[in-house]
Structure formats: C-alpha cells, structure tokens
Amino acid sequence: MSGTLRLTGSTSGYIEIQAPAEANGATHVIPNTGFAAGKILQVKSTTKDDVVSTTSTTFAAIPGLTVDITPTAATSKIFVSYTLRSGNQGTLARFKLWRGSTQIYMGASVSAKTQEASAYYGQAGSEGYYGMNDLAGQYLDDPGTTSELTYSFTWATSHANYYNYLNRSYNDGATYYNARGASTITVMEIGA
C-alpha cells in the first residue's frame, strides 16, 4: 500500500510527498533522529575592516572582532574559522583565541613560552612592512552547552612601543604597494 501526502499553500499551490509502498497495509515510519548529524545548523560571522593598533606587550581585546552564537543542542560542536590581516616592523605579533574567558586553539604548554593561536615576526622589507600577513586558522570546539557563546581575539606585541596593526601594513604610505584589508571570524554550529 502506498499513499500521497499533499501540503496545500494558504493561497495557492501545493507539494506532494509520495510514500513508499508497504506490505500488508503497514504504516511507513519516518525516523526523527539523525537528520542533524554532521550538518551545519547555523552560521555567524563578523568582519572588521577598520584599522586598529597596539604597542602593548600585555594581551588586550581586539575591538569589534567578536562573534556570538547560541548552540541549539549541548552535543553540538562549533567550527571556528578566522583570518587576521596584520602588519608591523621589528616585533612579534601575537594573537590568542577565546571562547568567553577560556583560551582555546593554542599550542602545548612549554616553560617560558606563551600559548597562542597565531603569531609572526615583522621586519623591514618583510610582508608585514609594505603589505600584510594573513594569519588564518580553523578549530573545532566542543563547548557542551546551549548557553550563548562569545568567540574573540586578544593581541599583543613582543616589544613595548613597537606598533602592530590590524588591517593595514606598517608602512602606510600613499603608494600602490601599501594596502588595507579586513579581518574576519566565522563560527558554525555542527549538529552531533
């Protein structure tokens, strides 16, 4: 036995779903689990295109480069993807990734080393002097909650009073080889 389910629009039109044949008049049951496994349930993204700078060796938040997401299930994972565009000279640009107040996506703990998501050293004539370094990463987070989550970055330099810029080169002259860019952070809820 088979049947047809017709869904009629409020003003016009309809769609039909043809049920498969079942022997002896049995009822066909559509499973209600497993549809979301491995599927992207929602996507949130923030792009920052203005320029900010730091000369501090103390990590501080990058203003405007945060993104919020509220998982629909505690079993969901959050896929984090980012690109940071940065220029500097004579200093180590250092970036940490956070979920709320918890640092995530970092290297192993080693004595006298800082745990960071991305870093690079700029010098005269380097990519970060006339252009920008593209620092990109991806991380699959497992927060285990349905509470709202905030993902963000902090940054610092390795030498006090040496400029590190976001979205511009160190040498920001009015020439064709000096550029401006944008940085972004995107989060996706992945169904478990």
Side-chain angles (χ1 to χ4, degrees):
M1 179 179 183
S2 65
T4 301
L5 173 64
R6 176 178 286 191
L7 303 173
T8 304
S10 61
T11 57
S12 66
Y14 63 87
I15 61 169
E16 290 184 346
I17 301 173
Q18 183 70 43
E22 294 289 352
N24 302 321
T27 301
H28 184 78
V29 178
I30 299 174
N32 62 1
T33 60
F35 287 111
K39 305 292 185 187
I40 297 173
L41 305 180
Q42 59 175 318
V43 179
K44 300 292 182 72
S45 185
T46 297
T47 298
K48 180 177 179 64
D49 60 6
D50 60 313
V51 172
V52 290
S53 65
T54 185
T55 58
S56 176
T57 58
T58 301
F59 280 88
I62 299 176
L65 193 60
T66 66
V67 64
D68 298 326
I69 190 169
T70 303
T72 58
T75 55
S76 293
K77 296 190 171 32
I78 305 297
F79 184 75
V80 183
S81 177
Y82 66 87
T83 300
L84 306 170
R85 315 269 332 266
S86 180
N88 70 27
Q89 180 189 17
T91 187
L92 180 67
R94 306 158 66 188
F95 298 87
K96 294 183 178 183
L97 176 61
W98 299 84
R99 179 202 337 112
S101 59
T102 302
Q103 186 182 351
I104 59 174
Y105 187 53
M106 58 187 156
S109 177
V110 178
S111 177
K113 306 285 192 272
T114 60
Q115 295 171 284
E116 298 165 5
S118 291
Y120 78 95
Y121 188 82
Q123 57 188 0
S126 72
E127 184 76 18
Y129 185 76
Y130 289 114
M132 289 171 286
N133 286 281
D134 289 334
L135 307 174
Q138 298 175 333
Y139 178 68
L140 188 61
D141 191 24
D142 189 5
T145 185
T146 55
S147 298
E148 184 180 61
L149 304 168
T150 299
Y151 291 87
S152 63
F153 279 94
T154 57
W155 67 335
T157 66
S158 59
H159 298 82
N161 300 318
Y162 280 64
Y163 277 91
N164 185 33
Y165 294 97
L166 193 72
N167 297 333
R168 63 159 267 195
S169 61
Y170 175 79
N171 181 6
D172 195 40
T175 58
Y176 70 92
Y177 52 76
N178 295 125
R180 293 290 175 97
S183 299
T184 186
I185 180 171
T186 301
V187 292
M188 294 178 274
E189 181 184 2
I190 309 297

